[in-house]
């Protein structure tokens, strides 16, 4: 008799109880299989929902930055989208980076692994090159128009996160570029504890951003800096796909959270849309 491995399950009731101290407690909905949790969150946001969390064991049409698809083996990955209505101006472009730092910190807290954050929000291995991808974040927003002196504000933000948790292998086409938390050393890898930690961090870090904007924390910064979470922010030799493609060394973030790269041609450029990869 063949014994099938137990599926890493998620108990939505237990997750909601664990999140009772956050704005997301009571909103977590677990689904076996969906096209995309991002689609469900977008539909709810357009219908007027203020908060929500959709987590699925499997996605058939999951998407990432640039329209990239996800390998979604049932029960192995964490596929979750959280809906927030953050009190932030539409010009606040740091939400993707904030979400990436939240995921980085959640992984470190529950697994003990220190991964890396490839600007702005790809989760990758840290250490020997080339890095391999562990997950990523996609943030989609809607904006309310400015009224008088009041700036345009975010109406909602939909934050989709996909993390390779318990995968023991990948299709041949992905094997060289992808890995999982289990393969990297979290042998007890399970999704529920990571889900709770991720949602706690998202709620907390977005609160920091909101309160910093409102001035109640004297321009508060996140508890974790981008350069702590990412070795890609400064001193990393990279190739950037935009502006015709160029190579250089990363030189920190500008005031808006965009990555700067000192090009081999001596020009300091600002990366606007990602597409940053390790260079030889």
């Amino acid at each position: 008799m063949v014994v099938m491995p137990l599926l890493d399950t998620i108990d939505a009731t237990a997750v909601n109880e664990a999140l009772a101290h956050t704005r997301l407690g009571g909103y977590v909905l677990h689904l076996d299989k969906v096209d995309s949790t991002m689609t469900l969150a977008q539909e709810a946001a357009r219908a007027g929902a203020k908060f929500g969390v959709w987590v699925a064991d499997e996605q058939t049409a999951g998407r990432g930055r640039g329209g990239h698809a996800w390998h979604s083996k049932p029960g192995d990955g964490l596929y979750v989208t959280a809906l927030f209505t953050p009190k932030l101006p539409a010009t606040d472009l740091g939400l993707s980076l904030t979400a990436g730092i939240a995921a980085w910190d959640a992984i470190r807290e529950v697994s003990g692994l220190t991964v890396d954050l490839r600007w702005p929000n790809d989760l990758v291995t840290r250490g020997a090159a080339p890095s391999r991808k562990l997950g990523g974040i996609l943030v989609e927003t809607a904006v309310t128009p400015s009224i008088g002196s009041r700036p345009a504000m975010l109406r909602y933000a939909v934050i989709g996160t996909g993390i390779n948790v318990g995968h023991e292998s990948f299709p041949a086409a992905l094997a060289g570029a992808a890995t999982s938390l289990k393969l990297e050393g979290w042998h007890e890898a399970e999704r529920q504890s990571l889900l709770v930690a991720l949602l706690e961090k998202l709620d907390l870090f977005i609160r920091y951003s909101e309160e910093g904007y409102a001035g109640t924390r004297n321009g508060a910064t996140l508890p974790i800096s981008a350069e702590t979470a990412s070795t890609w922010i400064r001193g990393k030799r990279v190739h950037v796909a935009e502006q015709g493609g160029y190579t250089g060394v990363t030189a920190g973030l500008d005031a808006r959270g965009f990555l700067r790269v000192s090009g081999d041609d001596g020009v300091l450029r600002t990366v606007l849309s990602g597409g940053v990869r390790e260079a030889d």
Side-chain angles (χ1 to χ4, degrees), residues 4 26 41 56 61 90 93 126 181 192 211 215 227 265 273:
M4 299 299 292
L93 301 175
R126 181 178 293 221
L181 297 178
Q192 184 158 308
E211 292 171 0
E227 292 193 29
D265 57 3
S273 61

Side-chain angles (χ1 to χ4, degrees), residues 5-10 32 56-59 71-79 134 162-171 179-183 186 189-192 194:
L6 295 176
L7 184 69
D8 177 13
T9 59
I10 288 175
D32 293 330
D57 291 331
E58 181 182 7
Q59 292 189 117
H71 170 60
S72 176
K73 184 179 176 182
D76 277 353
L78 181 61
Y79 315 113
L134 287 154
I163 302 174
N164 301 331
V165 181
H167 300 69
E168 295 183 346
S169 63
F170 290 88
T179 186
S180 70
L181 297 178
K182 186 170 187 176
L183 290 172
W186 187 23
E190 57 91 21
R191 296 177 299 153
Q192 184 158 308
L194 181 57

Side-chain angles (χ1 to χ4, degrees), residues 158-226:
V158 169
I159 303 171
T161 305
I163 302 174
N164 301 331
V165 181
H167 300 69
E168 295 183 346
S169 63
F170 290 88
L174 297 175
T179 186
S180 70
L181 297 178
K182 186 170 187 176
L183 290 172
E184 294 304 310
W186 187 23
H187 301 299
E188 303 79 15
E190 57 91 21
R191 296 177 299 153
Q192 184 158 308
S193 61
L194 181 57
L195 173 63
V196 171
L198 172 65
L199 296 175
E200 284 180 328
K201 301 295 183 184
L202 281 173
D203 181 61
L204 176 64
F205 289 5
I206 289 174
R207 282 186 188 274
Y208 265 88
S209 298
E210 291 172 324
E211 292 171 0
Y213 165 67
T216 56
R217 289 185 185 270
N218 298 316
T221 57
L222 295 180
I224 297 169
S225 71

